[in-house]
Amino acid sequence: MISKLLIPTRSGSRNMLTALRSRNKLTRTVAFAAACIFSAAVAWAQAPAAAGSAASGKVGVISIRQAIVTTAEGKLASAELQSQFASRQNEIENLNKQVNDVQQRLQASANKLSQEEETRLRQQGQRLAQRLERMNTEYNEDLNAAQADVIDRIGRKMVDVLDRYSRENGYVMVLDSSAQSTPILYASTQIDVTQDIIRLYDQAYPVKAGAAAPAKPAAPKPAPATSQPPASKP
């Protein structure tokens, strides 16, 4: 349910948040979009049976958006996507610069160019702009899909963590404060479970140390020691 994600940016976490904010449209085109598991914008958990009515149970809030991108796995995924799409982002930025350069040349040379030269520049600018639009659209679609896959993977596991946490701590309802369809006008910070869920998620699904580090080239093998023949006896 991520629709419009990309204006090229180098902030991985901000990209992930943008993906979550605009998740309502991509459901039609990306079947595995992660936010489908949050479509109701409410995570329900049944409190264990106990003496007394359900009114004795607790109500909490969580920012699912923030929780996903703040987990160690979410941070690692953001860094990986940043690296994966960096070359295409640079290509788009360079092409955008070419379009701007042509526009500036036309503006600076107004009434100074021949009709033929002006027509040539305008046609060049149009071709570059069309190519830029096509590349940007493809980039958006590919990045949205990749991010939706990451959010789906983390989000499904996070719901399990939240469900277990809610049962064990007597919550009858946990609301997603980051969902547009759940307007929460006020919530005390004392009932916000976001940090608890992030901590429990990282414990349940730890990221391997050095997982995001680039592979280091293999160290050269030391040259074998040259053996010398034993000294001849006199």
Side-chain angles (χ1 to χ4, degrees), residues 62-215:
I62 182 174
S63 174
I64 288 294
R65 297 173 184 166
Q66 190 64 34
I68 287 178
V69 301
T70 307
T71 61
E73 186 178 352
K75 293 176 180 178
L76 175 61
S78 295
E80 290 175 343
L81 288 180
Q82 186 71 39
S83 176
Q84 178 183 346
F85 286 89
S87 60
R88 292 176 64 179
Q89 182 178 352
N90 290 336
E91 189 176 356
I92 289 174
E93 291 174 353
N94 290 335
L95 187 56
N96 186 64
K97 183 177 182 301
Q98 293 179 42
V99 172
N100 290 334
D101 288 344
V102 171
Q103 292 176 344
Q104 292 175 3
R105 287 177 59 189
L106 284 170
Q107 293 174 358
S109 304
N111 301 323
K112 298 178 182 178
L113 298 175
S114 65
Q115 186 66 36
E116 181 179 357
E117 179 65 13
E118 183 176 348
T119 300
R120 187 191 67 79
L121 277 177
R122 290 189 183 280
Q123 291 177 345
Q124 179 185 1
Q126 289 174 357
R127 287 193 299 270
L128 290 172
Q130 291 171 355
R131 182 184 169 198
L132 175 62
E133 182 178 3
R134 182 172 62 254
M135 290 177 59
N136 213 12
T137 298
E138 293 173 353
Y139 179 75
N140 287 340
E141 292 174 351
D142 292 346
L143 183 56
N144 285 342
Q147 287 181 328
D149 192 29
V150 169
I151 295 167
D152 179 57
R153 184 181 74 243
I154 298 176
R156 291 181 186 277
K157 293 184 291 185
M158 184 168 288
V159 165
D160 292 338
V161 173
L162 176 60
D163 179 75
R164 184 168 61 253
Y165 173 87
S166 300
R167 292 173 185 274
E168 293 175 353
N169 291 275
Y171 285 90
V172 294
M173 179 174 13
V174 179
L175 302 175
D176 181 8
S177 61
S178 63
Q180 295 180 355
S181 57
T182 310
I184 299 176
L185 301 181
Y186 171 77
S188 170
T189 55
Q190 295 179 349
I191 66 170
D192 191 311
V193 301
T194 304
Q195 295 303 318
D196 288 340
I197 299 304
I198 293 171
R199 175 177 53 80
L200 292 174
Y201 185 96
D202 285 343
Q203 291 176 0
Y205 304 100
V207 172
K208 294 181 179 179

